[in-house]
Every structure is written in structure tokens, then in C-alpha cells.
């Protein structure tokens, strides 16, 4: 690929190693979450949200558990100003939720920002200015002291205006925008200049937000930058270090997680990573990664289908089908070996009554995010195997397919999917199974069967069967004795003028559901003199008649290969 040599390293790692964070193996507690869906997320949309949509989205973010929500840049847009005023005037901000607003370090913008907040109980005022080498040289054409003055002038103004509104509990946040393209020593210098003006206390901490406005480095470099900053910031115990990763390199989630290990306390991001260019960090994935490590994420994504639905409704964006935790296909297994392992794992957990999750190929239990095993986990197409098909039939329709039968059914269903070139729904899988195996009554149909104990038999299992049978549209009645019901039925059939070539291989039965009035299923396998095996499945309210139907079905399936002859 041409022109790769145009790109050089544009980021600034610390001069000395800062990698204590590598000694930690996972994030041990949830960060403070701040949703920026209504700001970064909204400005990334082709058609921004209407006022009504923003209000609904705000209320949904509250429902999910967000305690800090950035509502916009009220001094820069009349729409965002009116949105903020509606939240305040209609008393839509819960007491335990803090709204956040963004402002540049310019006096008239800061004044209008505070005017927009009149009547708010709690608010974070987020001050920012660009600090990167590229911005300083190309956009502002200013030296470092001039850039610092922009930040400190704004910091003084925030204190000045906040004092005019004592009824509001203000917190201050500062971002050296384009932090990842800023020399880390300069980033520390400008942040400390702001911290010294704001004089944070345990009761009124300051937020220092360190955004990867453009993601330039591998995640471990960002983590080292965060660790360096945490060491250099003044009054660190009263400073909340916030991370605002973007996704230009596709590693925002990894960068955020490593940044938390390195000392970050807070995350600014969006649902599903919606944001400018390739987006912001995906809070859903971050929170669910914590969940998957046994850490309470302090956000509620237990109804993930609803979260996806609401997000798509408000933003007109789509969640990809393989998006972690939330995509429609994220739990779907089409591979036969995967399906077999999953179905066995599910059965193991059920048998052992285990609460701790460890099912093969499934990081978390899909039910914990509102997904269903039947519809979302085992999906059937031409790549599927015996385990997946058996799982679908058991979970959806109650058929516990014998192990010896599963491979045959699996190939039958795979062949159907391959020929139709599509995924098969559970209903289509069942229809194919029932059509081929269940209660197959042509050309043989036993229309009536009664049984009685054989008194001259020494065995307690001796039975006499009286049957009415139709074969090739001819009606017959026979009576025969056997060492059990199926044996008696089989002996009666062999009294017909037709030649039957088979022996029993295996038989099993079970109820299709727990109710006493439910139907029963029976499975019969027979084998001819050439070693060919034929399965039949019977279904009936009476388990005995279900077994009769299973034998008849097996015989009729045999007849497809080798027609009965008189």
C-alpha cells in the first residue's frame, strides 16, 4: 500500500516508563459514568435529534442508571439552550442526576452558559481548549504560555460566575482538548494551572478530563500517559481523572480499560460508541466487560433488546449484528461443534444446578441481558450440527432426541438449509423433523390396538396385542402374543401378507411436558438384514400408543427405501 511513509508518530509518551498499571489483571470497580450521547452523540448524527427526542433520550439514560449526563453546549446552539431550559423548567432532572454542559474559554460563551443553568440544582461546567502541538502550530499559532492563559482565564471566569448563583451546586471540569497529541509535560502544566485556580477540596472535587480527541496510539501508550498525569496532577486526592476516548484506531474500549487500570476514575462515552468520525468509547461494551468479570457496572443493561431499540429509535443509527453483547447475532452459534458444546454446557449447568457461569463459547448468560436461548443462541443453517438441531427441538418443542438419532436429524436439517440457502427458524426445523419422522402413517397405519396380559406366559411382561391395520389401503385385523407390547404389535404385523425385514435396535420414551395431560413422545430404531437403520417417532396422549406410532413411523420410513412386497 502506497504512502504509508507519510504517517509518523504524532503522540507523546512519557519520557520514562509509566507502566505500573500492567500489574493489574482487571478493573475492580465501575468508574463514574458520564453519558455524552446528547452532545457528542447528537452532533455526529446526519439528522440531529429533535427537542422531543432529546428529552425522551435523556429520560431513558436516567432509567439506565446514568448519574451524570452531558446535555450539550447551550451557549453555542439555540436548540441546545432550549433543551436545557426545558429540562429545568419542566423539572425533568432527578435530584440524584447531575447535568453537564460544555463551554469554550471565552467570556461571552461562559456568561451565556451560566445564564442557561439558572434554577439547576447540580451541574458540571466543562471548560476546554485545544492544547496539542498540531492545534497550537496550525490553528491558533500560539505559544504554550498563550495557550495556558486561555485555560486560566476561563478557569477564573468559571469561579466568578459560579459565585453569582449560590443556589446551584457547581462542579468544574477541564479538558486539554487533543490531549493525546499534546506533550504530556505540557498537558500536566496546563491542567495544574487550572487546578491551582479552582482549589479543589474533598467536598468540591475538580474533574480533569483527558480526551483522546483523536486516537493516535496503541492503548498501552494512552494508559502510560494517564498514569503519568495521575502522578503529576496537583491535589490529586481531590481531582477526579476522567477519560474521554475516541475510536479512530478502533481500540477505544481497550484504551479506556487500560486507562482505568492506570488511575482513571471516570468515563465519558456514548451508548454503542456513537460519535464523530469512528465514534466515542462504547459505554455498553465497557460496562458489560465489567459485568463479565463479576463487577457491578452500576448501569442496567438487563434488557439489551430494549436498549438497542431505543438507541436506534432516537438516533436512526443501527447496532451491527455482531456488536459485543448487543448485536442480534452476538450469541448466535451456527457451527455444529459450537452448538454441540453449548448445548452440552447448558445441560451440565442445569443438571448440576450451577449459578457460576462457564458455558463453552458464551462469555455471559444471554438471559442476563434479556436474550432467549431458543431464539438467540442456537441458530440453524447449513453449517449447523446435530447438537444444535437437537437443542432446538428440545428447548422449543420438548423432544429429547436420542443421542444415536441426532446425527441423522442434523444432516437432514443441514441438507434442507443448504438446498433452500437460508437459515431455518425453530418452527421450520420442527416442521422438517415432524414431516420426516413423527406419526408417519402411510402406507402402514395401525388404526386400533388393544392389549391384555398373556395368562399362559411365565414372564410378567407377556402381552397379547389385538390390532386393526391398514396397509396399502387394505384393512386387516390380527392378534399376536409377545414379550411386551411392541413385540406383540410386531408379531401381529408379521402375520400380514407382507414381508417385513427388521429387528429392534433401541426404544425410548418421555413426556413432552410436565403436565399430566400432555402428550408423550416415543422413539424406535429398527434395522434390516443389511444393517440399515430406520428411526421413527411417535406422539400421542397415551405413551403406549405413542410407542406404536413410533414403530409404524420407522416401518414407513423403511418402506421409502424398500417397498413392502406380499
Amino acid at each position: 500500500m502506497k504512502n504509508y511513509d507519510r504517517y509518523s508518530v504524532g503522540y507523546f509518551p512519557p519520557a520514562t516508563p509509566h507502566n505500573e498499571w500492567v500489574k493489574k489483571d482487571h478493573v475492580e470497580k465501575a468508574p463514574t459514568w458520564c453519558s455524552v450521547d446528547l452532545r457528542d452523540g447528537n452532533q455526529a448524527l446526519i439528522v440531529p435529534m429533535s427537542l422531543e427526542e432529546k428529552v425522551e433520550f435523556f429520560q431513558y439514560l436516567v432509567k439506565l442508571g446514568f448519574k451524570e449526563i452531558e446535555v450539550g453546549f447551550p451557549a453555542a446552539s439555540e436548540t441546545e439552550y432550549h433543551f436545557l431550559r426545558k429540562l429545568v423548567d419542566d423539572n425533568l432532572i432527578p435530584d440524584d442526576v447531575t447535568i453537564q454542559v460544555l463551554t469554550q474559554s471565552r467570556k461571552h460563551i461562559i456568561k451565556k452558559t451560566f445564564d442557561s443553568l439558572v434554577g439547576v440544582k447540580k451541574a458540571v461546567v466543562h471548560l476546554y481548549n485545544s492544547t496539542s502541538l498540531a492545534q497550537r502550530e496550525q490553528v491558533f499559532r500560539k505559544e504554550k504560555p498563550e495557550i495556558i492563559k486561555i485555560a486560566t482565564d476561563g478557569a477564573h471566569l468559571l469561579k466568578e460566575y459560579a459565585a453569582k448563583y449560590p443556589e446551584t451546586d457547581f462542579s468544574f471540569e477541564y479538558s486539554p482538548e487533543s490531549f493525546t497529541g499534546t506533550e504530556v509535560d505540557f498537558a500536566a502544566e496546563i491542567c495544574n494551572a487550572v487546578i491551582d485556580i479552582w482549589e479543589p477540596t474533598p467536598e468540591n472535587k475538580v474533574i480533569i478530563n483527558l480526551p483522546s480527541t483523536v486516537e493516535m496510539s496503541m492503548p498501552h501508550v494512552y494508559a502510560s500517559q494517564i498514569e503519568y498525569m495521575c502522578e503529576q496532577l496537583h491535589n490529586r486526592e481531590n481531582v477526579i481523572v476522567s477519560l474521554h476516548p475516541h475510536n479512530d484506531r478502533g481500540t477505544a474500549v481497550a484504551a479506556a480499560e487500560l486507562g482505568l487500570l492506570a488511575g482513571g476514575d471516570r468515563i465519558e462515552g456514548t451508548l454503542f460508541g456513537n460519535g464523530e468520525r469512528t465514534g466515542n468509547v462504547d459505554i455498553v461494551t465497557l460496562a458489560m466487560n465489567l459485568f463479565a468479570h463479576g463487577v457491578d457496572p452500576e448501569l442496567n443493561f438487563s434488557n439489551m433488546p430494549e436498549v438497542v431499540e431505543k438507541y436506534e429509535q432516537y438516533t436512526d443509527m443501527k447496532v451491527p449484528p455482531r456488536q459485543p453483547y448487543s448485536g442480534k447475532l452476538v450469541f448466535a452459534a451456527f457451527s455444529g461443534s459450537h452448538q454441540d458444546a453449548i448445548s452440552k454446557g447448558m445441560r451440565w449447568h442445569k443438571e448440576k444446578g450451577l449459578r457460576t457461569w462457564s458455558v463453552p463459547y458464551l462469555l455471559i448468560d444471554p438471559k442476563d441481558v434479556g436474550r432467549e436461548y431458543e431464539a438467540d443462541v442456537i441458530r440453524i443453517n447449513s453449517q449447523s450440527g446435530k447438537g444444535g438441531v437437537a437443542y432446538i427441538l428440545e428447548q422449543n418443542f420438548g423432544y429429547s432426541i436420542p443421542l444415536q438419532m441426532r446425527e441423522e436429524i442434523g444432516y437432514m436439517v443441514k441438507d434442507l438449509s443448504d438446498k433452500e440457502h437460508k437459515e431455518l427458524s425453530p418452527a421450520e426445523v420442527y416442521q422438517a423433523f415432524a414431516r420426516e419422522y413423527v406419526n408417519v402413517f402411510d402406507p402402514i397405519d395401525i388404526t386400533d390396538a388393544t392389549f391384555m396380559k398373556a395368562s399362559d406366559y411365565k414372564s410378567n411382561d407377556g402381552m397379547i396385542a389385538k390390532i386393526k391395520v391398514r396397509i396399502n389401503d387394505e384393512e386387516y385385523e390380527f392378534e399376536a402374543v409377545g414379550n411386551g407390547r411392541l413385540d406383540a404389535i410386531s408379531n401381529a404385523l408379521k402375520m400380514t401378507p407382507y414381508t417385513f425385514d427388521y429387528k429392534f435396535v433401541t426404544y425410548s420414551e418421555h413426556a413432552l411436558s410436565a403436565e399430566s395431560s400432555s402428550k408423550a413422545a416415543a422413539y424406535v430404531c429398527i434395522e434390516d438384514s443389511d444393517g440399515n437403520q430406520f428411526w421413527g417417532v411417535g406422539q400421542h396422549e397415551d405413551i403406549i400408543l405413542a410407542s406404536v406410532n413410533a414403530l409404524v413411523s420407522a416401518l414407513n420410513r423403511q418402506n421409502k427405501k424398500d417397498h413392502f412386497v406380499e
Side-chain angles (χ1 to χ4, degrees), residues 23-34:
K23 298 177 182 178
K24 306 172 185 177
D25 63 1
H26 72 283
V27 179
E28 295 181 348
K29 67 175 183 177
T32 299
W33 302 105
C34 178

Side-chain angles (χ1 to χ4, degrees), residues 143-158:
E143 298 299 321
K144 290 178 181 178
E146 297 171 286
I147 299 296
I148 292 175
K149 189 174 188 303
I150 293 172
T152 54
D153 284 350
H156 283 296
L157 285 170
L158 259 60

Side-chain angles (χ1 to χ4, degrees), residues 382 412-422:
S382 59
M412 184 267 292
V413 172
K414 284 172 63 174
D415 184 61
L416 177 62
S417 174
D418 193 34
K419 288 177 178 176
E420 298 193 5
H421 199 62
K422 70 172 187 175

Side-chain angles (χ1 to χ4, degrees), residues 130 148 163 188-189 201 259 265-266 310 339 376 384 446 452:
S130 294
I148 292 175
E189 181 182 359
T201 66
D265 306 302
R266 181 178 185 265
K310 294 292 186 182
Q339 292 178 344
D376 297 311
S384 304
I446 293 179
M452 60 183 294

Side-chain angles (χ1 to χ4, degrees), residues 212-232:
S212 58
T213 308
V214 177
E215 186 180 38
M216 297 179 170
S217 69
M218 294 177 70
H220 74 287
V221 175
Y222 182 62
S224 295
Q225 292 171 325
I226 300 305
E227 186 173 293
Y228 173 88
M229 292 294 291
C230 287
E231 290 180 1
Q232 298 298 318

Side-chain angles (χ1 to χ4, degrees), residues 129-151 183 186:
N129 68 302
S130 294
T131 61
S132 70
L133 178 61
Q135 293 268 17
R136 297 196 315 265
E137 289 182 341
Q138 301 171 36
V139 179
F140 298 104
R141 302 193 178 189
K142 293 182 182 294
E143 298 299 321
K144 290 178 181 178
E146 297 171 286
I147 299 296
I148 292 175
K149 189 174 188 303
I150 293 172
E183 306 92 321
F186 179 56

